[in-house]
Amino acid sequence: MLTQEEVSRYSRHLIMPEVGVEGQEKLKAAKVLLIGTGGLGAPVAMYLAAAGVGTIGLVDFDVVDVSNLQRQVIHGTKDIGKKKIDSAEETMRDINPLVKIIKHDVALTSENALDIMRDYDIIADGTDNFPTRFLINDACVLLNKPNVYASIFRFEGQATIFAAEGGPCYRCLYPEPPPPGLVPSCAEGGVLGILPGVVGLIQATEVVKLILGAGEPLIGRLLLYDALAMRFRELKLRKNPECVCATGEMKLIDYDHFCGIVKQPEPPPLVNEIGPKEVKAMIDERKDFILIDVREPHEFQIGRIPTSNLIPLGDLPKRMAELDPNAQYVLHCKMGGRSAKGCDVLRAAGFKRVLNMTGGITAWSEQVDPSVPKY
């Protein structure tokens, strides 16, 4: 039964025949687990709390960073350095103190996923990496829990419901993960801060619809959103009869290994790598070398090392004629990945004296010059 306070709070729901008292009582009785309280998780958590979902579980182990605030609106400037799960709880309780919030301050793994997810009715995937997405999917299939899924990148997002009765699972759409590094993360490629708000609200809407049993849920339908074109498209998804979700062969596995992420001890520095402090010493000692920044022009505008020369990685092959193959080169990017590829390009072309600055301009900011912005 709804209390008098709940009747007042949810009155705009109660006067809708599609919700009414019965629907609001369903929301109050529902248990939803939200995995991730970042860009997607922020709007989902706030609106599910506002809607009166009775029990909301949160899974997160990260802390709030200033770079999160452009899109993760459940956190504020005062929360920098605080655990996201605590910051999210504080905001949600301010929105609606009547809901129960259960915090799971852990990384979701194959060892704990089933135990954490078992007591919830619906799972909402707000994560941003392939190993966890496959893990959530497989656990949902094993537990017969619907997986309200979404993902975002730059100006585009998508949403659907996986593992619902009769519908496809994540593996039906993506049987195999992409090769490691092929799909850049939001930290590497960026994301429009408003985008997770739009896509996260679609997720929250689908959660509420599933609880109410109302409308047409996104089961068997992949909704695509292009913010630049302000256009929605829809693709039909079908259950793959050969997928492990259909054959009954589903089991939890090592998802890092499955996605090609091999955890190894930190290797010793390679002879073709150099640290930011060593590069700074070379600059101070006026050593004869050329520092090349292989980032994009818009990144170069954010912050740069004063002596660097901008040659974006994609332009490097066609600009080799400008370079002396006998000179000493140091390449850097944001974090070291693209510049390592640039070093390979130059070495394959016969350049012998090429070094990669480990950690990129991010490490330069942390170890050498804090005035260079991190992004």
Side-chain angles (χ1 to χ4, degrees):
M1 297 292 293
L2 301 180
T3 66
Q4 185 172 346
E5 182 180 2
E6 289 169 332
V7 170
S8 298
R9 178 178 286 269
Y10 308 126
S11 63
R12 298 305 186 272
H13 273 175
L14 303 182
I15 59 177
M16 299 172 62
E18 294 85 356
V19 182
V21 172
E22 182 180 354
Q24 194 62 50
E25 288 176 343
K26 289 180 180 179
L27 290 169
K28 181 177 179 178
K31 297 180 179 179
V32 176
L33 180 67
L34 172 58
I35 304 175
T37 58
L40 289 167
V44 175
M46 291 192 293
Y47 273 91
L48 291 186
V53 172
T55 302
I56 303 173
L58 304 176
V59 179
D60 208 318
F61 64 97
D62 201 2
V63 298
V64 180
D65 182 80
V66 66
S67 65
N68 301 147
L69 304 183
Q70 159 257 15
R71 64 201 178 281
Q72 300 180 17
V73 294
I74 201 168
H75 314 297
T77 302
K78 65 179 177 56
D79 300 315
I80 293 173
K82 183 187 295 185
K83 287 188 174 182
K84 286 185 179 180
I85 204 167
D86 294 333
S87 171
E89 179 192 29
E90 183 177 315
T91 301
M92 293 166 69
R93 290 200 184 284
D94 185 50
I95 292 172
N96 189 353
L98 304 182
V99 301
K100 180 180 180 181
I101 300 170
I102 301 174
K103 297 187 294 184
H104 304 275
D105 184 12
V106 294
L108 198 72
T109 67
S110 297
E111 288 69 37
N112 63 23
L114 296 178
D115 288 335
I116 291 174
M117 295 167 61
R118 183 172 284 111
D119 294 331
Y120 294 90
D121 307 313
I122 298 170
I123 312 301
D125 182 355
T127 62
D128 62 356
N129 64 86
F130 289 103
T132 311
R133 288 172 183 166
F134 277 101
L135 168 60
I136 293 170
N137 173 80
D138 294 0
C140 282
V141 171
L142 289 171
L143 294 170
N144 295 314
K145 311 281 186 183
N147 172 16
V148 181
Y149 164 86
S151 66
I152 51 173
F153 181 67
R154 293 178 62 82
F155 295 94
E156 298 179 349
Q158 55 182 236
T160 188
I161 299 174
F162 290 122
E165 185 176 355
C169 80
Y170 185 72
R171 287 177 179 267
C172 293
L173 180 61
Y174 301 112
E176 299 290 338
L182 179 65
V183 180
S185 67
C186 289
E188 297 168 320
V191 60
L192 181 69
I194 303 166
L195 179 69
V198 176
V199 180
L201 290 180
I202 292 172
Q203 271 188 289
T205 303
E206 291 303 299
V207 170
V208 169
K209 285 163 55 182
L210 286 178
I211 295 170
L212 296 176
E216 300 178 26
L218 284 174
I219 300 173
R221 301 155 56 204
L222 180 67
L223 187 67
L224 306 176
Y225 172 56
D226 182 340
L228 280 183
M230 194 49 69
R231 181 178 296 119
F232 287 90
R233 295 188 298 126
E234 185 178 299
L235 302 177
K236 289 188 179 298
L237 300 180
R238 291 181 174 83
K239 192 178 182 72
N240 181 359
E242 298 181 359
C243 178
V244 288
C245 73
T247 61
E249 299 173 0
M250 185 72 76
K251 62 180 181 179
L252 301 190
I253 58 176
D254 181 338
Y255 292 90
D256 283 337
H257 180 75
F258 176 66
C259 293
I261 301 172
V262 181
K263 296 179 180 179
Q264 296 177 335
E266 191 70 25
L270 300 176
V271 294
N272 57 3
E273 292 183 338
I274 187 171
K277 292 181 179 179
E278 288 74 24
V279 175
K280 178 64 164 61
M282 291 172 65
I283 294 172
D284 293 343
E285 296 168 9
R286 299 184 180 277
K287 292 286 184 68
D288 186 16
F289 80 103
I290 300 169
L291 180 61
I292 296 179
D293 186 337
V294 300
R295 297 176 300 156
E296 296 300 314
H298 62 273
E299 295 177 276
F300 193 73
Q301 293 175 359
I302 297 172
R304 66 186 185 91
I305 301 172
T307 58
S308 61
N309 302 275
L310 177 65
I311 304 181
L313 180 59
D315 295 343
L316 192 57
K318 58 189 176 187
R319 293 183 59 180
M320 282 189 197
E322 304 172 20
L323 306 177
D324 178 0
N326 297 313
Q328 171 72 67
Y329 294 94
V330 175
L331 274 60
H332 84 83
C333 60
K334 180 183 178 183
M335 300 178 70
R338 283 175 286 174
S339 53
K341 294 179 182 178
C343 289
D344 291 340
V345 170
L346 291 182
R347 292 191 194 101
F351 288 69
K352 303 296 185 184
R353 303 169 64 200
V354 184
L355 298 173
N356 180 36
M357 190 177 85
T358 56
I361 201 167
T362 300
W364 179 273
S365 177
E366 293 171 346
Q367 300 176 25
V368 177
D369 185 1
S371 69
V372 176
K374 291 198 298 182
Y375 62 97

